[in-house]
Amino acid sequence: VNGLPQAFDRVAERYDLLARLNPGYHKHLSWSASRLGLGRRARILDLCCGTGLSTEALARVYPDAELWALDASPGMLAVACRKPVSARARFLLGDAMDPRAAGALGPYDGVLMAYGIRNVPDADRCLAGVLSLLAPGGAACFHEYSVADSAQSRLVWSAVSGLVILPLGYALSGTADLYRYLRRSVLAFDGVRAFEARLRRAGFTDVRTEPMDGWQRGIVHSFLGRKRA
Ligand SMILES: C[S@@+](CC[C@H](N)C(=O)[O-])C[C@H]1O[C@@H](n2cnc3c(N)ncnc32)[C@H](O)[C@@H]1O
């Protein structure tokens, strides 16, 4: 695993506070969870689960589902494991590039990856791994920033990340590196059309993108795809 999960270790205890200050963060994760369109008793993997905010969204939307959650940061997972959701989900320490090595064997009816695919060292290889973990007909949702297709989205993202997220993140966690990386990596990530094409190349079908509201409109998206039945 590259050095990123270690950077998340350093902000883990403050992560949820920063997320609470971000209007729409929890609601949008719930939207992505429900856009998976899964049945009541689905088996679901939350890849790059962090402190479990995305796992909580899955638990809200699918109260009877079997939940698995994986992250490479021991610090983020330690926060997740102190929450009530830890009674609902199996949390695993591991690399999203090789979830099976950590015990996430599948097959899953659904995979949610929220703010994860932008951060892995090889997105195509990671997508191939996600597809291989899905049951036939299973659904994946990549909840992610993507601004490259729109000048307005790039402008809003640069303003929000530079003027709000970076100073607030620094004030709350005492380190700015991760927030600088966030700003940069979002600007460098695929546009909506490029990421949809990447999903199709990886073998996903029924690829579509759904929007968020608030300041995240045109900036954060649910990228959805399915494994052929
Ligand atoms: C921005 S957080 C998102 C957490 C959660 N999904 C949410 O929506 O709140 C990104 C997470 O990805 C994890 N991560 C980064 N690279 C990873 C990798 N290669 N394997 C597993 N987790 C990784 C980090 O440790 C971090 O917890």
Side-chain angles (χ1 to χ4, degrees):
V1 181
N2 54 21
L4 199 58
Q6 288 70 42
F8 276 99
D9 279 340
R10 288 193 284 281
V11 304
E13 296 296 330
R14 293 301 190 164
Y15 190 88
D16 286 12
L17 178 56
L18 200 59
R20 264 203 302 281
L21 295 173
N22 185 349
Y25 193 96
H26 298 84
K27 176 179 75 177
H28 292 155
L29 286 173
S30 295
W31 287 6
S32 279
S34 59
R35 286 166 178 172
L36 281 167
L38 301 172
R40 284 178 66 96
R41 300 198 179 279
R43 282 186 101 198
I44 314 173
L45 174 64
D46 182 14
L47 213 46
C48 296
C49 63
T51 60
L53 297 177
S54 39
T55 325
E56 286 171 337
L58 288 168
R60 277 194 298 277
V61 175
Y62 304 104
D64 301 316
E66 180 184 317
L67 300 178
W68 294 70
L70 177 147
D71 200 278
S73 158
M76 296 288 273
L77 277 181
V79 175
C81 288
R82 294 202 298 263
K83 296 179 175 177
V85 74
S86 62
R88 282 286 329 276
R90 247 165 284 187
F91 283 97
L92 304 171
L93 178 65
D95 188 349
M97 296 298 299
D98 189 6
R100 279 196 179 82
L105 303 175
Y108 298 102
D109 304 300
V111 174
L112 174 64
M113 191 172 191
Y115 308 113
I117 193 68
R118 175 177 35 89
N119 293 322
V120 294
D122 183 338
D124 291 329
R125 200 152 60 80
C126 183
L127 291 178
V130 170
L131 193 66
S132 77
L133 283 171
L134 282 173
C141 178
F142 302 89
H143 176 104
E144 191 53 88
Y145 295 101
S146 172
V147 297
D149 285 358
S150 153
Q152 190 192 330
S153 301
R154 285 198 302 277
L155 197 71
V156 173
W157 169 248
S158 296
V160 171
S161 60
L163 301 174
V164 183
I165 300 178
L166 202 147
L168 204 61
Y170 180 66
L172 292 178
S173 60
T175 167
D177 293 354
L178 188 62
Y179 307 105
R180 281 199 203 96
Y181 163 79
L182 174 66
R183 180 182 189 175
R184 242 189 2 256
S185 65
V186 170
L187 290 171
F189 187 62
D190 291 353
V192 170
R193 284 188 297 274
F195 189 65
E196 286 183 342
R198 195 192 280 279
L199 287 172
R200 288 194 190 96
R201 271 200 317 275
F204 286 91
T205 63
D206 302 334
V207 172
R208 66 179 211 277
T209 303
E210 300 274 347
M212 304 300 159
D213 65 0
W215 76 263
Q216 295 93 337
R217 177 180 292 280
I219 293 178
V220 178
H221 315 262
S222 306
F223 293 98
L224 294 141
R226 193 171 282 289
K227 180 166 175 167
R228 213 174 290 281

